[in-house]
Amino acid sequence: MTETTEKIYTHRYLLTAAQCNAQSELAPAMLVQHIIEVATEHADDLGVGFKQLEADGNLWVLSRIALEMKRYPRLLEDYSLSTWVESYNRHFSQRNFEIRGDRDEVIGYARTIWVAINMKTRRPASLEHFDFLAGLVCDKECPIAPPGKIRAIEPPQMCHPYRFQVSDIDVNRHVNSSRYVELIINQMDLDTYDTFYVSRFEIEFRHEAHFANDVEVCSAFSNDGKALVSTINRGTDQICLARTITLPRSPSN
């Protein structure tokens, strides 16, 4: 179910057992997938979606995301994602999200940056003919820090090879953003997620990856042990960098 005002778009969900992770809650990668879906729906609603950009040979690409969660939606919980445009210019758009649980409590926020690229050249494209978007910028608060600078930690403490398969590829013929999140989350074991939950996750996408690309997922804990910094590398290219911060679980999460 969806709701929309002039500037804010809301999609409501029910978390079924088939969508849960081992902790009976919404997985971070599924949340990222929802964020992409809701952003796409709102862009379509505003007249700047896939069809409109495709007509000019362009497409939207998620460039950066930062999310913070007090907890994640639980099995059989009704929850919602609301989105709005924070800013816009001729090359990219900043879009925010609010996640609410079944009692209408705010349980998290996300900040995203979207870039338009040309389908053939894969270079940044101009959005200047969508200047009406400037009138749809919303001043609703998003009280989490924007995505910050992520620096790889050398040498990494763990590395795992992976070859991208058919199911990793999306409609734009490159690796789905949520697949990168899954690979990074998989760097820690199940016992970790039974004891801790992902309170903040940031990822910066630098290069596209495609079917049959061989990559290496490398991670290391920061000196204070509070963050796991990860990179997915294809040879010397850093496909993406991520920072994962966990907190101990409590009865409320």
Side-chain angles (χ1 to χ4, degrees):
M1 182 173 66
T2 61
E3 298 173 8
T4 185
T5 64
E6 183 181 4
K7 297 181 179 181
I8 300 175
Y9 182 93
T10 300
H11 190 124
R12 300 188 181 279
Y13 296 89
L14 171 68
L15 186 61
T16 65
Q19 298 170 322
C20 283
N21 61 11
Q23 291 75 38
S24 298
E25 63 190 17
L26 184 70
M30 180 64 76
L31 176 57
V32 170
Q33 189 63 41
H34 284 345
I35 284 170
I36 294 170
E37 291 169 355
V38 175
T40 301
E41 291 172 3
H42 193 207
D44 289 338
D45 196 53
L46 294 176
V48 289
F50 183 84
K51 288 184 178 180
Q52 288 80 17
L53 265 69
E54 184 184 36
D56 296 324
N58 302 325
L59 56 87
W60 285 113
V61 172
L62 180 60
S63 174
R64 302 190 71 171
I65 183 170
L67 60 89
E68 284 190 18
M69 301 295 291
K70 296 178 182 177
R71 67 171 181 85
Y72 290 82
R74 306 182 184 99
L75 174 62
L76 299 182
E77 181 174 6
D78 291 302
Y79 62 100
S80 66
L81 270 69
S82 296
T83 186
W84 62 97
V85 177
E86 180 182 81
S87 64
Y88 155 82
N89 63 33
R90 63 189 296 239
H91 289 304
F92 67 88
S93 175
Q94 298 186 75
R95 174 181 286 280
N96 300 332
F97 296 80
E98 181 182 78
I99 303 98
R100 289 180 176 265
D102 59 358
R103 297 180 181 177
D104 207 33
E105 60 171 321
V106 177
I107 59 175
Y109 288 95
R111 290 180 174 271
T112 62
I113 298 176
W114 297 79
V115 177
I117 67 171
N118 182 271
M119 291 180 180
K120 292 183 178 179
T121 67
R122 314 308 275 188
R123 302 294 299 168
S126 175
L127 296 169
E128 56 188 6
H129 54 299
F130 291 122
D131 56 358
F132 66 87
L133 270 178
L136 296 172
V137 169
C138 182
D139 60 2
K140 179 177 172 64
E141 182 184 15
C142 183
I144 67 169
K149 181 70 175 179
I150 304 174
R151 297 184 184 276
I153 298 176
E154 299 292 346
Q157 296 163 354
M158 49 189 139
C159 287
H160 298 99
Y162 187 79
R163 173 172 290 182
F164 289 115
Q165 305 296 319
V166 171
S167 60
D168 300 322
I169 308 303
D170 66 15
V171 68
N172 293 322
R173 306 286 290 190
H174 59 202
V175 176
N176 189 298
S177 300
S178 63
R179 187 65 185 122
Y180 297 115
V181 179
E182 290 176 332
L183 291 174
I184 291 163
I185 292 295
N186 287 346
Q187 290 287 83
M188 291 186 279
D189 61 28
L190 190 59
D191 288 343
T192 298
Y193 293 112
D194 286 338
T195 308
F196 298 88
Y197 77 102
V198 176
S199 64
R200 181 174 171 96
F201 182 85
E202 299 178 52
I203 188 166
E204 174 187 346
F205 300 102
R206 292 191 171 182
H207 296 280
E208 293 180 285
H210 302 91
F211 172 72
N213 282 177
D214 289 306
V215 296
E216 195 170 36
V217 188
C218 297
S219 300
F221 286 97
S222 57
N223 290 335
D224 59 10
K226 294 182 178 179
L228 182 73
V229 178
S230 305
T231 61
I232 297 180
N233 307 308
R234 181 184 55 209
T236 58
D237 288 336
Q238 286 184 337
I239 303 299
C240 63
L241 297 93
R243 182 187 293 115
T244 308
I245 298 175
T246 60
L247 288 177
R249 291 185 179 275
S250 67
S252 62
N253 61 16

